[in-house]
Amino acid sequence: MIGRLKGILVNKQPPWILLDVQGVGYEVEVPLSTLFDLPANGQEATLLIHTVVREDAFLLYGFSREVERKLFRHLLKVTGVGAKLALGVLSGMNAEEFAGAIARNDIAALIRLPGVGRKTAERLVIEMRDRLAEGFFDGATLATAAGKMGDVVPLAGADQEAMSALEALGYKPAESQRMVKAVPGAETLPVEQIIRLALKPFAGKA
């Protein structure tokens, strides 16, 4: 199993990155929390890896912090939660924010995460509470989201890529559209900055 990769970052196409490790290109899927921590293309990056081996695929999931990888692995043990949903959780909240929501039984905050309905949120609270009772989650901050979804209209360029990245993580097209359109000057910004600003209203609220 691959547990860690260190190499040159070749390309970022959220939620995927391509990492060149001594001439071998590894495609790794990462949450947005990790994507924002990565350096520019052409620079060296190190990722902690969770490996999934299936009959038809060899999948790599990368994280910038051990706490993120640990949470990802815990999430995969929850009934009905797969890798896509786990990545969506880590893209909408960092590990500390998620733990805070679990500790407060905040179902409303959890169902704002991509792909998380009420039943899944309730299951997360029940199954994750004991697993997250660790010291490094003390003082976690809750992340919340607000706003209504609007109609979907075509976007172009970097804003369209940002919208596609949000959809790949589980946000619905109308919601992704609304989030990207709310970013001032999105048409002139790089993809990563658009995504970061689109998610900003989801963080730091009680």
Side-chain angles (χ1 to χ4, degrees):
M1 294 292 182
I2 297 174
R4 178 176 176 270
L5 287 174
K6 182 178 181 180
I8 302 301
L9 187 59
V10 177
N11 188 37
K12 289 181 279 189
Q13 187 68 38
W16 297 90
I17 67 162
L18 180 63
L19 194 66
D20 185 324
V21 182
Q22 297 182 348
V24 179
Y26 290 89
E27 288 187 340
V28 184
E29 193 167 1
V30 301
L32 295 182
S33 54
T34 291
L35 183 74
F36 297 149
D37 287 339
L38 292 173
N41 290 345
Q43 296 186 22
E44 187 175 79
T46 300
L47 288 174
L48 299 170
I49 302 295
H50 175 79
T51 305
V52 175
V53 180
R54 302 193 318 221
E55 290 185 3
D56 60 342
F58 187 88
L59 306 173
L60 302 177
Y61 300 95
F63 308 91
S64 58
R65 299 191 299 153
E66 177 58 33
V67 67
E68 291 180 338
R69 183 170 66 172
K70 181 185 292 187
L71 177 54
F72 179 81
R73 288 171 169 172
H74 281 318
L75 286 168
L76 293 181
K77 298 176 184 178
V78 175
T79 305
V81 175
K84 181 176 181 179
L85 182 54
L87 286 176
V89 168
L90 281 167
S91 293
M93 290 180 173
N94 64 34
E96 291 82 3
E97 291 167 344
F98 177 78
I102 295 296
R104 289 185 288 273
N105 298 325
D106 198 325
I107 301 298
L110 294 173
I111 61 177
R112 293 189 180 103
L113 295 169
V116 177
R118 176 165 293 278
K119 289 184 178 180
T120 300
E122 292 172 349
R123 198 158 52 237
L124 285 170
V125 169
I126 293 171
E127 298 189 32
M128 292 294 292
R129 186 183 293 114
D130 292 339
R131 296 172 185 170
L132 298 181
E134 302 182 31
F136 51 75
F137 283 128
D138 289 347
T141 302
L142 177 65
T144 60
K148 299 179 180 180
M149 291 183 287
D151 296 331
V152 178
V153 297
L155 293 177
D159 48 3
Q160 176 62 60
E161 290 185 42
M163 180 177 166
S164 297
L166 291 169
E167 288 179 30
L169 290 163
Y171 288 98
K172 294 179 180 179
E175 187 174 14
S176 300
Q177 171 91 16
R178 176 187 58 76
M179 293 165 68
V180 170
K181 288 183 68 176
V183 176
E187 65 278 1
T188 64
L189 301 174
V191 176
E192 290 172 54
Q193 190 172 353
I194 295 173
I195 297 172
R196 185 193 296 271
L197 292 173
L199 288 169
K200 188 175 181 180
F202 285 66
K205 296 181 181 179

